[in-house]
Amino acid sequence: SVLVKLGARGSMLVQKSGEVVKQEAIAVENVVDTTGAGDCFTAAFAVGHVQQWPVQKCMAFASAAASSCIGKKGAMVSLPHLDDIPEKYYEC
């Protein structure tokens, strides 16, 4: 599988079967710093994958994490904690 991050255009996962799963980006009113957003997305996707969540939930969770990340300055300090990500964005 290949995970493709498209920034403000969202993301998509191309699975081994050829199926493509798309995820829209979550709009953020006040973008402060996009540094680390892609890494945050990938890490959040991995968290969901390890939890054995369905792919769409992993994608939604990763999108929510990345949208939280870009609202703060800096790469490491902007990485959200699980409690910082509203569950409404990744409920499936």
Side-chain angles (χ1 to χ4, degrees):
S1 298
V2 177
L3 184 59
V4 182
K5 299 168 279 187
L6 303 168
R9 294 178 295 151
S11 59
M12 64 181 176
L13 178 70
V14 182
Q15 298 185 356
K16 291 179 186 178
S17 66
E19 178 186 1
V20 176
V21 179
K22 295 182 179 181
Q23 174 65 45
E24 292 184 17
I26 296 172
V28 175
E29 288 183 29
N30 188 24
V31 175
V32 176
D33 186 358
T34 61
T35 304
D39 293 332
C40 179
F41 180 95
T42 302
F45 182 89
V47 167
H49 183 71
V50 168
Q51 296 291 330
Q52 298 183 347
W53 293 347
V55 170
Q56 193 62 58
K57 183 173 181 176
C58 293
M59 298 286 287
F61 178 70
S63 184
S67 71
S68 174
C69 177
I70 64 177
K72 300 174 189 156
K73 182 120 178 97
M76 292 303 292
V77 297
S78 67
L79 293 175
H81 185 274
L82 180 60
D83 295 337
D84 297 332
I85 305 168
E87 198 171 326
K88 69 179 182 179
Y89 290 116
Y90 62 95
E91 289 178 327
C92 292

Coordinates of all heavy atoms in Angstrom, one line a residue:
S1 N 0.8 -1.2 0.0 CA 0.0 0.0 0.0 C 0.9 1.2 0.0 O 2.0 1.2 0.5 CB -0.9 0.0 1.2 OG -1.8 -1.1 1.2
V2 N 0.3 2.3 -0.6 CA 1.1 3.6 -0.6 C 0.2 4.7 -0.1 O -1.0 4.8 -0.5 CB 1.5 3.9 -2.1 CG1 2.1 5.3 -2.1 CG2 2.4 2.9 -2.7
L3 N 0.7 5.4 0.9 CA 0.0 6.5 1.5 C 0.5 7.8 0.9 O 1.7 8.1 1.0 CB 0.2 6.5 3.1 CG -0.5 7.5 3.9 CD1 -2.0 7.4 3.8 CD2 -0.1 7.3 5.4
V4 N -0.4 8.6 0.3 CA -0.1 9.8 -0.4 C -0.7 11.0 0.4 O -1.9 11.0 0.5 CB -0.6 9.8 -1.8 CG1 -0.1 11.1 -2.6 CG2 -0.1 8.5 -2.6
K5 N 0.2 11.9 0.8 CA -0.3 13.1 1.5 C -0.3 14.3 0.5 O 0.7 14.5 -0.2 CB 0.7 13.4 2.7 CG 0.7 12.3 3.7 CD 1.9 12.4 4.7 CE 3.1 11.9 4.0 NZ 4.3 11.9 4.9
L6 N -1.4 15.0 0.4 CA -1.6 16.0 -0.6 C -1.8 17.4 0.1 O -2.4 18.3 -0.5 CB -2.9 15.6 -1.4 CG -2.8 14.3 -2.2 CD1 -4.1 13.9 -2.7 CD2 -1.7 14.4 -3.2
G7 N -1.4 17.6 1.3 CA -1.5 18.8 2.0 C -3.0 19.3 2.1 O -3.8 18.5 2.6
A8 N -3.3 20.5 1.8 CA -4.6 21.0 1.9 C -5.7 20.3 1.0 O -6.9 20.4 1.2 CB -4.7 22.5 1.6
R9 N -5.2 19.5 0.1 CA -6.1 18.7 -0.8 C -6.4 17.3 -0.2 O -7.2 16.6 -0.8 CB -5.5 18.6 -2.2 CG -5.4 19.9 -2.9 CD -4.7 19.7 -4.2 NE -3.4 19.3 -4.0 CZ -2.7 18.5 -4.9 NH1 -3.2 18.2 -6.0 NH2 -1.4 18.2 -4.7
G10 N -5.9 17.0 1.0 CA -6.3 15.8 1.7 C -5.2 14.7 1.5 O -4.0 15.0 1.4
S11 N -5.6 13.5 1.4 CA -4.7 12.4 1.3 C -5.4 11.2 0.6 O -6.7 11.2 0.4 CB -4.2 11.9 2.7 OG -5.4 11.6 3.4
M12 N -4.6 10.2 0.2 CA -5.2 9.0 -0.3 C -4.3 7.8 0.0 O -3.1 8.0 0.1 CB -5.5 9.1 -1.8 CG -4.4 9.3 -2.7 SD -5.0 9.4 -4.4 CE -3.4 9.7 -5.2
L13 N -4.9 6.7 0.1 CA -4.2 5.4 0.3 C -4.5 4.5 -0.9 O -5.7 4.2 -1.2 CB -4.7 4.8 1.6 CG -4.0 3.4 1.9 CD1 -2.6 3.6 2.3 CD2 -4.8 2.7 3.0
V14 N -3.5 4.1 -1.6 CA -3.6 3.2 -2.7 C -3.2 1.8 -2.2 O -2.1 1.6 -1.8 CB -2.7 3.6 -3.9 CG1 -3.0 2.6 -5.1 CG2 -3.0 5.0 -4.3
Q15 N -4.2 1.0 -2.1 CA -4.0 -0.3 -1.5 C -3.5 -1.3 -2.5 O -3.6 -1.1 -3.7 CB -5.3 -0.9 -0.8 CG -5.8 0.1 0.3 CD -7.0 -0.5 1.0 OE1 -7.6 -1.5 0.6 NE2 -7.4 0.2 2.0
K16 N -2.9 -2.4 -2.0 CA -2.3 -3.4 -2.9 C -3.3 -3.9 -3.9 O -3.0 -4.3 -5.0 CB -1.8 -4.6 -2.0 CG -0.6 -4.3 -1.2 CD -0.2 -5.5 -0.4 CE 1.0 -5.2 0.5 NZ 1.4 -6.3 1.4
S17 N -4.6 -4.0 -3.5 CA -5.7 -4.4 -4.4 C -6.0 -3.5 -5.5 O -6.7 -3.8 -6.5 CB -6.9 -4.7 -3.6 OG -7.4 -3.4 -3.1
G18 N -5.4 -2.2 -5.4 CA -5.7 -1.2 -6.4 C -6.8 -0.2 -5.9 O -7.0 0.8 -6.5
E19 N -7.5 -0.6 -4.8 CA -8.5 0.3 -4.3 C -7.9 1.6 -3.7 O -6.8 1.5 -3.1 CB -9.3 -0.4 -3.1 CG -10.3 0.5 -2.5 CD -10.9 -0.2 -1.2 OE1 -10.6 -1.3 -0.8 OE2 -11.8 0.5 -0.6
V20 N -8.5 2.7 -4.0 CA -8.0 4.0 -3.5 C -9.0 4.5 -2.5 O -10.2 4.6 -2.7 CB -7.9 5.0 -4.7 CG1 -7.5 6.3 -4.2 CG2 -6.9 4.5 -5.8
V21 N -8.5 4.8 -1.3 CA -9.3 5.4 -0.2 C -8.8 6.9 -0.1 O -7.7 7.2 0.1 CB -9.0 4.7 1.1 CG1 -9.8 5.3 2.2 CG2 -9.3 3.2 1.0
K22 N -9.8 7.8 -0.3 CA -9.5 9.2 -0.2 C -10.0 9.8 1.1 O -11.0 9.4 1.7 CB -10.1 9.9 -1.4 CG -9.6 9.5 -2.7 CD -10.2 10.3 -3.8 CE -9.6 9.8 -5.2 NZ -10.1 10.6 -6.3
Q23 N -9.3 10.8 1.6 CA -9.7 11.5 2.8 C -9.5 13.0 2.5 O -8.4 13.5 2.1 CB -8.8 11.1 4.0 CG -9.0 11.9 5.2 CD -10.4 11.7 5.8 OE1 -10.8 10.6 5.9 NE2 -11.0 12.8 6.2
E24 N -10.5 13.8 2.8 CA -10.4 15.2 2.7 C -9.6 15.8 3.8 O -9.7 15.3 4.9 CB -11.8 15.9 2.6 CG -12.6 15.6 1.4 CD -13.9 16.3 1.3 OE1 -14.1 17.2 2.1 OE2 -14.8 15.8 0.6
A25 N -8.9 16.9 3.6 CA -8.3 17.6 4.7 C -9.3 18.3 5.5 O -10.4 18.7 5.0 CB -7.3 18.6 4.1
I26 N -9.0 18.5 6.8 CA -9.9 19.3 7.7 C -9.5 20.7 7.6 O -8.3 21.1 7.8 CB -9.8 18.8 9.1 CG1 -10.3 17.3 9.1 CG2 -10.6 19.6 10.1 CD1 -10.1 16.6 10.5
A27 N -10.4 21.6 7.2 CA -10.1 23.0 7.1 C -9.7 23.6 8.4 O -10.3 23.3 9.5 CB -11.4 23.8 6.6
V28 N -8.7 24.4 8.4 CA -8.1 25.1 9.6 C -8.2 26.6 9.3 O -7.6 27.1 8.3 CB -6.7 24.6 9.9 CG1 -6.1 25.4 11.0 CG2 -6.7 23.2 10.1
E29 N -8.8 27.4 10.2 CA -9.0 28.8 9.9 C -7.6 29.5 10.1 O -7.3 30.4 9.3 CB -10.0 29.4 10.9 CG -11.4 29.0 10.6 CD -12.4 29.7 11.5 OE1 -12.1 30.8 12.1 OE2 -13.4 29.1 11.8
N30 N -6.9 29.2 11.1 CA -5.6 29.9 11.4 C -4.4 29.0 11.3 O -4.0 28.4 12.2 CB -5.7 30.5 12.8 CG -4.5 31.4 13.0 OD1 -3.9 32.0 12.1 ND2 -4.2 31.6 14.3
V31 N -3.9 28.8 10.0 CA -2.7 28.0 9.8 C -1.5 28.8 10.3 O -1.2 29.9 9.8 CB -2.6 27.6 8.4 CG1 -1.3 26.9 8.1 CG2 -3.7 26.8 7.9
V32 N -0.7 28.2 11.3 CA 0.4 28.9 11.8 C 1.7 28.4 11.2 O 2.6 29.2 10.8 CB 0.4 28.8 13.4 CG1 1.7 29.4 14.0 CG2 -0.8 29.4 14.0
D33 N 1.8 27.1 11.1 CA 3.1 26.5 10.7 C 2.8 25.1 10.2 O 2.3 24.3 10.9 CB 4.1 26.5 11.8 CG 5.5 26.0 11.4 OD1 5.7 25.7 10.2 OD2 6.4 26.0 12.3
T34 N 3.1 24.8 8.9 CA 2.9 23.5 8.4 C 4.0 22.5 8.6 O 4.0 21.3 8.2 CB 2.5 23.5 6.9 OG1 3.6 24.1 6.2 CG2 1.2 24.4 6.7
T35 N 5.1 23.0 9.2 CA 6.3 22.1 9.4 C 5.9 20.9 10.3 O 5.3 21.1 11.3 CB 7.4 22.9 10.1 OG1 7.7 24.1 9.4 CG2 8.7 22.1 10.3
G36 N 6.2 19.8 9.8 CA 5.9 18.5 10.5 C 4.5 18.0 10.3 O 4.2 16.9 10.9
A37 N 3.6 18.7 9.6 CA 2.3 18.2 9.4 C 2.2 16.8 8.7 O 1.4 16.0 9.1 CB 1.4 19.2 8.6
G38 N 3.1 16.6 7.7 CA 3.1 15.3 7.0 C 3.6 14.2 7.9 O 3.0 13.1 7.9
D39 N 4.6 14.5 8.7 CA 5.1 13.5 9.6 C 4.1 13.2 10.7 O 3.9 12.0 11.1 CB 6.4 14.0 10.3 CG 7.5 14.2 9.4 OD1 7.6 13.4 8.4 OD2 8.4 15.0 9.6
C40 N 3.3 14.2 11.2 CA 2.3 14.0 12.1 C 1.2 13.1 11.5 O 0.7 12.2 12.2 CB 1.7 15.4 12.5 SG 0.3 15.3 13.7
F41 N 0.8 13.4 10.3 CA -0.2 12.6 9.6 C 0.2 11.1 9.5 O -0.5 10.2 9.9 CB -0.4 13.1 8.2 CG -1.4 12.4 7.4 CD1 -2.7 12.8 7.3 CD2 -1.1 11.2 6.7 CE1 -3.7 12.1 6.6 CE2 -2.0 10.5 6.0 CZ -3.3 10.9 6.0
T42 N 1.5 10.9 9.1 CA 2.0 9.5 9.0 C 2.0 8.8 10.3 O 1.6 7.7 10.4 CB 3.4 9.5 8.4 OG1 3.3 10.2 7.1 CG2 3.9 8.1 8.2
A43 N 2.4 9.5 11.4 CA 2.5 8.9 12.7 C 1.1 8.6 13.2 O 0.9 7.5 13.8 CB 3.2 9.9 13.7
A44 N 0.1 9.5 13.0 CA -1.2 9.3 13.4 C -1.9 8.1 12.7 O -2.6 7.3 13.3 CB -2.1 10.5 13.3
F45 N -1.6 8.0 11.4 CA -2.1 6.9 10.6 C -1.5 5.6 11.2 O -2.3 4.6 11.3 CB -1.7 7.0 9.1 CG -2.2 5.9 8.3 CD1 -3.4 6.0 7.7 CD2 -1.5 4.7 8.1 CE1 -3.9 4.9 6.9 CE2 -1.9 3.7 7.3 CZ -3.2 3.8 6.7
A46 N -0.2 5.6 11.5 CA 0.4 4.4 12.1 C -0.3 4.0 13.4 O -0.4 2.8 13.7 CB 1.9 4.6 12.3
V47 N -0.6 5.0 14.2 CA -1.3 4.7 15.5 C -2.6 4.0 15.3 O -2.9 3.0 15.9 CB -1.5 6.0 16.3 CG1 -2.5 5.8 17.4 CG2 -0.2 6.6 16.8
G48 N -3.4 4.5 14.3 CA -4.6 3.8 14.0 C -4.4 2.4 13.5 O -5.2 1.5 13.8
H49 N -3.4 2.3 12.6 CA -3.1 1.0 12.0 C -2.7 -0.1 13.1 O -3.2 -1.2 13.1 CB -2.0 1.1 11.0 CG -1.7 -0.1 10.3 ND1 -2.5 -0.7 9.3 CD2 -0.6 -0.9 10.3 CE1 -1.9 -1.8 8.8 NE2 -0.8 -2.0 9.5
V50 N -1.9 0.3 14.0 CA -1.5 -0.5 15.1 C -2.7 -0.9 16.0 O -2.8 -2.0 16.5 CB -0.4 0.1 16.0 CG1 -0.2 -0.6 17.3 CG2 0.9 0.2 15.2
Q51 N -3.7 0.0 16.1 CA -4.9 -0.3 16.9 C -5.9 -1.1 16.1 O -6.9 -1.5 16.6 CB -5.6 1.1 17.2 CG -4.8 1.9 18.2 CD -4.7 1.4 19.5 OE1 -5.5 0.7 20.0 NE2 -3.5 1.7 20.2
Q52 N -5.5 -1.5 14.8 CA -6.3 -2.3 13.9 C -7.6 -1.6 13.6 O -8.7 -2.3 13.4 CB -6.5 -3.7 14.5 CG -5.2 -4.4 14.6 CD -5.4 -5.8 15.1 OE1 -6.4 -6.3 15.5 NE2 -4.3 -6.6 15.0
W53 N -7.6 -0.3 13.5 CA -8.8 0.5 13.0 C -9.0 0.2 11.6 O -8.1 0.0 10.8 CB -8.6 2.0 13.3 CG -8.6 2.4 14.7 CD1 -8.9 1.7 15.8 CD2 -8.2 3.7 15.2 NE1 -8.8 2.4 17.0 CE2 -8.3 3.6 16.6 CE3 -7.7 4.8 14.6 CZ2 -8.0 4.7 17.4 CZ3 -7.4 5.9 15.4 CH2 -7.6 5.9 16.8
P54 N -10.2 0.4 11.1 CA -10.5 0.4 9.6 C -9.7 1.5 9.0 O -9.4 2.5 9.5 CB -12.0 0.6 9.5 CG -12.6 0.4 10.9 CD -11.5 0.6 11.8
V55 N -9.3 1.2 7.7 CA -8.5 2.2 7.0 C -9.1 3.6 7.0 O -8.4 4.6 7.2 CB -8.2 1.7 5.5 CG1 -7.6 2.7 4.7 CG2 -7.4 0.4 5.6
Q56 N -10.4 3.7 6.7 CA -11.0 5.0 6.7 C -10.9 5.8 8.0 O -10.7 7.0 8.0 CB -12.4 4.9 6.2 CG -13.0 6.3 5.9 CD -12.3 6.9 4.7 OE1 -12.3 6.3 3.6 NE2 -11.8 8.1 4.8
K57 N -11.0 5.0 9.1 CA -10.8 5.7 10.4 C -9.4 6.1 10.6 O -9.1 7.2 11.1 CB -11.2 4.7 11.5 CG -11.2 5.3 12.9 CD -11.7 4.4 14.0 CE -11.7 5.1 15.3 NZ -12.3 4.3 16.4
C58 N -8.4 5.3 10.2 CA -7.0 5.7 10.2 C -6.7 7.0 9.5 O -6.0 7.9 9.9 CB -6.1 4.6 9.7 SG -6.0 3.1 10.6
M59 N -7.3 7.1 8.3 CA -7.2 8.2 7.4 C -7.8 9.5 8.1 O -7.2 10.6 8.1 CB -7.8 8.0 6.1 CG -7.2 6.9 5.3 SD -5.6 7.2 4.5 CE -6.1 8.3 3.2
A60 N -9.0 9.3 8.6 CA -9.7 10.5 9.3 C -8.9 10.9 10.5 O -8.8 12.1 10.7 CB -11.1 10.1 9.6
F61 N -8.4 10.0 11.3 CA -7.7 10.3 12.5 C -6.4 11.0 12.1 O -6.0 12.1 12.7 CB -7.3 9.0 13.3 CG -6.5 9.2 14.5 CD1 -7.1 9.9 15.6 CD2 -5.2 8.8 14.6 CE1 -6.3 10.1 16.8 CE2 -4.5 9.0 15.7 CZ -5.0 9.6 16.8
A62 N -5.7 10.6 11.1 CA -4.5 11.2 10.7 C -4.7 12.6 10.2 O -4.0 13.5 10.4 CB -3.8 10.4 9.6
S63 N -5.8 12.8 9.4 CA -6.2 14.1 9.0 C -6.5 15.1 10.1 O -6.1 16.2 10.1 CB -7.4 14.0 8.0 OG -7.7 15.3 7.5
A64 N -7.2 14.6 11.1 CA -7.5 15.4 12.3 C -6.2 15.8 13.1 O -6.1 16.9 13.5 CB -8.5 14.6 13.2
A65 N -5.3 14.8 13.2 CA -4.0 15.1 13.9 C -3.2 16.1 13.1 O -2.7 17.1 13.8 CB -3.2 13.8 14.0
A66 N -3.1 16.0 11.8 CA -2.4 17.0 11.0 C -3.0 18.4 11.1 O -2.3 19.4 11.2 CB -2.3 16.5 9.6
S67 N -4.3 18.4 11.1 CA -5.0 19.7 11.2 C -4.8 20.4 12.5 O -4.6 21.6 12.6 CB -6.5 19.6 10.9 OG -7.2 19.0 12.0
S68 N -4.6 19.6 13.6 CA -4.3 20.1 14.9 C -2.9 20.6 14.9 O -2.6 21.7 15.5 CB -4.5 19.0 16.0 OG -4.1 19.5 17.2
C69 N -2.0 19.9 14.3 CA -0.6 20.2 14.3 C -0.3 21.6 13.6 O 0.6 22.4 14.1 CB 0.2 19.1 13.5 SG 1.9 19.4 13.2
I70 N -1.0 21.9 12.6 CA -0.7 23.2 11.8 C -1.2 24.5 12.5 O -0.9 25.5 12.0 CB -1.1 23.1 10.3 CG1 -2.7 23.0 10.2 CG2 -0.4 22.0 9.6 CD1 -3.2 23.0 8.8
G71 N -1.9 24.3 13.6 CA -2.4 25.5 14.3 C -1.4 26.0 15.3 O -1.7 27.0 16.0
K72 N -0.2 25.4 15.4 CA 0.8 25.8 16.4 C 2.2 25.9 15.7 O 2.4 25.3 14.7 CB 0.9 24.8 17.5 CG -0.3 24.6 18.3 CD -0.2 23.4 19.3 CE -1.6 23.1 19.9 NZ -1.6 21.8 20.3
K73 N 3.0 26.8 16.2 CA 4.4 27.0 15.7 C 5.3 25.9 16.1 O 5.3 25.5 17.3 CB 4.9 28.3 16.1 CG 6.3 28.7 15.5 CD 6.2 29.9 14.7 CE 7.5 30.3 14.1 NZ 7.7 29.9 12.8
G74 N 6.2 25.4 15.2 CA 7.2 24.4 15.5 C 6.8 23.0 15.2 O 5.6 22.7 15.1
A75 N 7.7 22.2 14.9 CA 7.4 20.8 14.5 C 7.1 19.9 15.7 O 6.0 19.3 15.8 CB 8.6 20.2 13.7
M76 N 8.0 19.8 16.6 CA 7.8 18.8 17.8 C 6.8 19.3 18.8 O 5.9 18.5 19.2 CB 9.1 18.6 18.5 CG 10.2 17.8 17.7 SD 9.6 16.2 17.1 CE 9.4 15.3 18.7
V77 N 6.8 20.6 19.1 CA 5.9 21.1 20.1 C 4.4 21.1 19.6 O 3.5 21.2 20.3 CB 6.3 22.5 20.5 CG1 7.6 22.5 21.3 CG2 6.3 23.5 19.4
S78 N 4.2 21.1 18.2 CA 2.9 21.1 17.7 C 2.2 19.7 17.6 O 1.1 19.6 17.3 CB 2.9 21.8 16.3 OG 3.6 21.0 15.4
L79 N 3.0 18.7 17.8 CA 2.5 17.3 17.7 C 1.4 17.1 18.7 O 1.7 17.3 19.9 CB 3.6 16.3 17.8 CG 4.6 16.2 16.7 CD1 5.7 15.2 17.0 CD2 3.9 15.9 15.4
P80 N 0.2 16.8 18.3 CA -0.9 16.7 19.3 C -0.9 15.4 20.1 O -0.3 14.4 19.7 CB -2.2 16.7 18.4 CG -1.7 16.1 17.1 CD -0.3 16.5 17.0
H81 N -1.4 15.5 21.3 CA -1.6 14.3 22.1 C -3.0 13.7 21.7 O -3.8 14.5 21.2 CB -1.6 14.7 23.6 CG -1.7 13.6 24.6 ND1 -2.9 13.0 24.9 CD2 -0.8 12.8 25.2 CE1 -2.7 12.0 25.8 NE2 -1.4 11.9 25.9
L82 N -3.2 12.5 22.0 CA -4.5 11.9 21.6 C -5.7 12.7 22.1 O -6.7 12.8 21.4 CB -4.6 10.4 22.1 CG -5.8 9.6 21.8 CD1 -6.0 9.5 20.3 CD2 -5.8 8.3 22.4
D83 N -5.6 13.2 23.3 CA -6.7 14.0 23.9 C -6.9 15.3 23.2 O -8.0 15.9 23.4 CB -6.4 14.2 25.4 CG -6.4 13.0 26.2 OD1 -7.0 12.0 25.8 OD2 -5.8 13.0 27.3
D84 N -6.0 15.8 22.4 CA -6.1 17.0 21.7 C -6.9 16.9 20.4 O -7.3 17.9 19.8 CB -4.7 17.6 21.3 CG -3.8 17.9 22.5 OD1 -4.4 18.2 23.5 OD2 -2.6 17.8 22.3
I85 N -7.2 15.7 20.0 CA -7.9 15.4 18.7 C -9.3 15.1 18.9 O -9.6 14.0 19.5 CB -7.2 14.3 17.9 CG1 -5.7 14.6 17.7 CG2 -7.8 14.1 16.6 CD1 -4.9 13.5 17.2
P86 N -10.2 16.0 18.6 CA -11.7 15.7 18.8 C -12.1 14.4 18.1 O -11.9 14.2 16.9 CB -12.4 16.9 18.3 CG -11.3 18.0 18.2 CD -10.0 17.3 18.0
E87 N -12.7 13.5 18.9 CA -13.2 12.2 18.3 C -14.2 12.4 17.2 O -14.3 11.5 16.3 CB -13.7 11.4 19.5 CG -13.8 9.9 19.1 CD -14.2 9.1 20.3 OE1 -13.8 9.4 21.5 OE2 -14.9 8.1 20.1
K88 N -14.9 13.5 17.2 CA -15.9 13.7 16.1 C -15.3 13.7 14.7 O -16.0 13.4 13.8 CB -16.6 15.0 16.4 CG -15.8 16.3 16.1 CD -16.6 17.5 16.3 CE -15.7 18.8 16.0 NZ -16.4 20.0 16.2
Y89 N -14.0 13.9 14.6 CA -13.3 13.9 13.3 C -13.0 12.6 12.8 O -12.7 12.4 11.6 CB -12.1 14.8 13.3 CG -12.4 16.3 13.5 CD1 -12.0 17.0 14.6 CD2 -13.1 17.0 12.5 CE1 -12.2 18.3 14.7 CE2 -13.4 18.3 12.6 CZ -13.0 19.0 13.7 OH -13.2 20.3 13.8
Y90 N -12.9 11.6 13.7 CA -12.5 10.3 13.2 C -13.5 9.1 13.6 O -13.1 8.0 13.6 CB -11.1 10.0 13.6 CG -10.8 9.9 15.1 CD1 -10.8 8.7 15.8 CD2 -10.5 11.1 15.8 CE1 -10.5 8.7 17.1 CE2 -10.2 11.0 17.1 CZ -10.2 9.8 17.8 OH -9.9 9.8 19.1
E91 N -14.7 9.5 14.1 CA -15.7 8.5 14.4 C -16.1 7.8 13.1 O -16.4 8.5 12.1 CB -16.9 9.1 15.1 CG -16.6 9.5 16.5 CD -17.8 10.1 17.2 OE1 -18.6 10.8 16.5 OE2 -17.9 10.0 18.4
C92 N -16.2 6.5 13.1 CA -16.7 5.8 11.9 C -17.8 4.9 12.2 O -17.9 4.4 13.3 CB -15.5 5.1 11.2 SG -14.3 6.1 10.5

